[in-house]
């Protein structure tokens, strides 16, 4: 039926190829039932139903791409009718989910184990996938209770800090569980290839978390003191998987200097504002929250604080020119995407929010003037439209 073998199922899940490639075939089996095309079709139909229950409607299409040719070959028009009806319902639910933005596809946590009682899990770390919105405190309490029952309450301790654990300093005879909230991680080109929320929550195996620190040993300091360690973890398989936890097989760490922290934070703001501005249909509530956090903040707080800390004429020479130039580029992008967001908000609001819009415009104008001296901004240029969002050159 599928000459390419398990490779035909790659679009359903990349996990199928490595897992099924090592499975034995059914040649020579005597006491076991051989799989037939009908068996496979039944399982695929059941898979489509389960995917719908899991709200992963987009994958339903990949399932029916495998099933429909069989129906056509068998002239099974009744099954074809049901299949296309199911597909229609699935894609209608995709449209509804994208419009409502209420579909929750899971939360992820890095869980590391330290202790002899953990056996083969000792000194290993896993990514746990939890349903819907799970808080750090909820999963922490659950795992603490689980292992306290198994090992004894006095032998289990939680580590809720994300910093690297010094095993030598851990108390002997105690089993430690370190739990950290993580987010899925994508390179820039991957974000372009995964434009929808679903695609950024499906077939994912790279996750990241950040640990703030300073040279004095404190977690937090002033902007010019603040350092950040970014950790990127890669799992052996993609989520979703048949298991709710997957072993971490690779760890990368990068330390960011204070000006690099500023660049990273401003890049996040640009990305967040751009995404909410380009979303279809528009989410006015989220748009206004992003605008309020970007142009509605105090002069010495938020985005302007980084400009004062790193781009002021008295301190700008203290930082590498290449990073200074990069930060200026990000600020220009930030100004442009805020202008585009304001333009969109102007189109969406009703009469009762006109004064609010005027207030945001005034604050945006003040921010542009404040930033002009730091980033060589051309104030004669009009605020950008949505179509002008994009990277600029220093």
């Amino acid at each position: 039926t599928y000459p390419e073998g398990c490779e035909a199922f790659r679009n359903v899940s990349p996990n199928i190829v490595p897992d099924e490639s090592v499975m034995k075939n059914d040649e020579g089996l005597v006491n076991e039932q051989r799989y037939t095309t009908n068996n496979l079709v039944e399982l695929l139909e059941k898979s489509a139903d389960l995917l719908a229950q899991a709200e992963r409607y987009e994958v339903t299409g990949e399932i029916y791409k495998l099933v429909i040719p069989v129906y056509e070959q068998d002239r099974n028009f009744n099954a074809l009718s049901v299949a296309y009806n199911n597909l229609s319902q699935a894609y209608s639910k995709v449209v509804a989910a994208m419009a409502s933005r209420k579909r929750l596809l899971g939360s992820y946590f890095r869980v590391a184990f330290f202790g002899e009682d953990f056996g083969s899990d000792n000194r290993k770390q896993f990514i746990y996938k939890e349903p819907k919105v799970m808080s750090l405190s909820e999963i922490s309490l659950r795992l603490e209770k689980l292992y306290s029952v198994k090992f004894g309450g006095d032998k289990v301790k939680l580590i809720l800090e994300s910093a690297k654990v010094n095993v030598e300093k851990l108390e002997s005879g105690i089993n430690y569980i370190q739990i950290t909230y993580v987010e899925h991680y994508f390179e820039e080109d991957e974000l372009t290839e995964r434009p929808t929320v679903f695609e950024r929550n499906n077939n994912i195996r790279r996750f990241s978390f950040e640990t703030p620190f300073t040279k004095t040993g404190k977690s937090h300091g002033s902007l010019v003191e603040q350092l950040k360690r970014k950790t990127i973890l890669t799992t052996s398989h993609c989520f979703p998987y048949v298991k709710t936890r997957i072993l971490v097989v690779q760890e990368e760490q990068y330390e960011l200097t204070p000006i690099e922290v500023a660049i990273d934070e401003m890049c996040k703001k640009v990305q967040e504002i751009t995404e909410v501005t380009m979303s279809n249909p528009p989410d006015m509530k989220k748009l206004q929250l992003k605008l309020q956090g970007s142009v509605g903040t105090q002069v010495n707080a938020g985005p302007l604080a980084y400009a004062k800390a790193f781009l002021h004429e008295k301190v700008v020479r203290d930082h590498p020119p290449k990073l200074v130039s990069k930060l200026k580029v990000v600020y220009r992008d930030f100004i442009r995407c805020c202008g585009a967001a304001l333009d969109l908000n102007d189109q969406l609001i009703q009469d009762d929010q006109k004064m609010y819009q005027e207030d945001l415009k005034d604050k945006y104008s003040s921010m542009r003037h404040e930033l002009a001296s730091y980033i060589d901004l051309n104030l004669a240029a009009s605020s950008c439209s949505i179509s002008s969002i994009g990277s600029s050159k220093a």
Side-chain angles (χ1 to χ4, degrees):
T1 305
Y2 307 108
E4 62 271 52
C6 57
E7 189 69 33
F9 296 79
R10 178 178 291 277
N11 288 341
V12 175
S13 171
N15 295 322
I16 294 175
V17 178
D19 283 359
E20 292 297 318
S21 295
V22 297
M23 298 287 285
K24 65 181 181 179
N25 59 32
D26 59 0
E27 291 182 8
L29 296 180
V30 177
N31 297 322
E32 297 182 44
Q33 179 184 358
R34 285 175 175 269
Y35 275 102
T36 66
T37 301
N38 287 338
N39 296 141
L40 177 61
V41 167
E42 288 175 9
L43 290 173
L44 288 171
E45 289 171 341
K46 186 175 181 179
S47 298
D49 292 338
L50 293 173
L51 284 166
Q53 291 177 37
E55 297 184 285
R56 294 186 175 268
Y57 313 114
E58 288 86 341
V59 189
T60 305
E62 299 298 335
I63 294 290
Y64 279 110
K65 284 178 186 177
L66 298 167
V67 176
I68 286 174
V70 179
Y71 293 156
E72 291 175 335
Q73 183 177 324
D74 294 344
R75 310 307 196 267
N76 191 339
F77 300 112
N78 183 57
L80 281 168
S81 175
V82 172
Y84 282 111
N85 182 57
N86 289 343
L87 278 172
S88 176
Q89 291 181 26
Y91 288 125
S92 294
K93 289 177 180 178
V94 171
V95 173
M98 293 179 70
S100 70
R101 296 180 177 86
K102 292 181 180 179
R103 179 169 51 165
L104 303 172
L105 294 170
S107 302
Y108 297 89
F109 299 87
R110 186 276 302 253
V111 180
F113 298 96
F114 304 93
E116 296 299 327
D117 289 341
F118 289 120
S120 60
D121 285 351
N122 183 25
R123 300 196 186 188
K124 289 183 180 178
Q125 52 185 338
F126 300 82
I127 298 296
Y128 277 60
K129 179 182 181 297
E130 298 298 319
K132 305 294 183 180
V133 178
M134 171 76 72
S135 69
L136 180 62
S137 60
E138 285 177 303
I139 185 175
S140 298
L141 287 172
R142 194 189 82 209
L143 291 179
E144 183 180 31
K145 182 178 180 181
L146 173 68
Y147 286 101
S148 292
V149 171
K150 192 172 183 180
F151 303 141
D154 58 338
K155 290 188 176 183
V156 176
K157 287 187 178 180
L158 297 181
I159 303 174
L160 297 181
E161 295 180 352
S162 61
K164 196 168 186 65
V165 174
N166 185 342
V167 180
E168 302 301 323
K169 292 185 177 181
L170 297 180
E171 186 179 345
S172 178
I174 301 296
N175 300 288
Y176 293 86
I177 308 172
Q178 186 182 36
I179 308 172
T180 310
Y181 174 78
V182 296
E183 296 182 335
H184 24 74
Y185 175 82
F186 302 105
E187 300 288 354
E188 284 297 324
D189 57 335
E190 289 181 286
L191 288 173
T192 304
E193 295 168 359
R194 295 173 178 257
T196 67
V197 172
F198 175 78
E199 288 169 296
R200 295 181 186 183
N201 284 272
N202 191 56
N203 295 336
I204 52 177
R205 60 185 296 238
R206 299 186 80 197
F207 302 85
S208 70
F209 64 92
E210 297 174 348
T211 307
F213 69 101
T214 64
K215 290 182 178 180
T216 63
K218 295 180 180 180
S219 296
H220 298 279
S222 67
L223 295 182
V224 295
E225 298 172 324
Q226 189 65 61
L227 302 164
K228 185 164 67 176
R229 184 178 297 109
K230 181 174 286 190
T231 304
I232 302 170
L233 306 171
T234 305
T235 55
S236 62
H237 292 74
C238 297
F239 282 106
Y241 189 42
V242 291
K243 300 177 181 178
T244 56
R245 77 168 195 175
I246 303 179
L247 179 68
V248 172
V249 294
Q250 183 178 338
E251 178 178 318
E252 307 164 62
Q253 284 193 345
Y254 305 94
E255 290 190 359
L256 305 184
T257 63
I259 190 171
E260 288 175 325
V261 172
I263 293 169
D264 190 55
E265 291 298 321
M266 290 306 301
C267 280
K268 286 180 183 177
K269 281 193 172 292
V270 170
Q271 181 181 325
E272 289 170 359
I273 297 170
T274 302
E275 285 180 358
V276 74
T277 305
M278 303 299 288
S279 65
N280 185 25
D283 185 338
M284 188 171 72
K285 185 177 180 179
K286 192 173 182 179
L287 174 68
Q288 292 181 354
L289 284 172
K290 295 299 178 186
L291 278 171
Q292 190 63 40
S294 298
V295 305
T297 53
Q298 297 293 321
V299 172
N300 292 318
L304 282 171
Y306 286 121
K308 288 179 175 290
F310 299 104
L311 300 178
H312 193 280
E313 60 182 8
K314 293 182 179 179
V315 298
V316 70
R317 288 186 176 86
D318 297 337
H319 307 290
K322 185 177 289 187
L323 293 178
V324 168
S325 177
K326 189 171 183 179
L327 183 56
K328 288 183 178 181
V329 168
V330 177
Y331 265 108
R332 291 179 198 135
D333 287 342
F334 174 71
I335 288 293
R336 275 195 294 274
C337 70
C338 284
L342 272 174
D343 288 347
L344 178 60
N345 194 56
D346 200 29
Q347 299 170 28
L348 298 176
I349 60 171
Q350 302 296 322
D351 290 340
D352 61 342
Q353 286 194 313
K354 291 292 184 183
M355 289 183 64
Y356 172 71
Q357 174 72 1
E358 290 304 315
D359 181 57
L360 286 177
K361 284 183 176 180
D362 289 343
K363 288 176 178 177
Y364 172 68
S365 179
S366 297
M367 182 179 69
R368 291 183 75 235
H369 277 82
E370 184 81 18
L371 288 172
S373 59
Y374 299 125
I375 63 173
D376 309 318
L377 188 67
N378 181 11
L379 291 176
S382 60
S383 63
C384 75
S385 62
I386 294 173
S387 61
S388 66
I389 292 177
S391 298
S392 62
K393 295 182 180 179

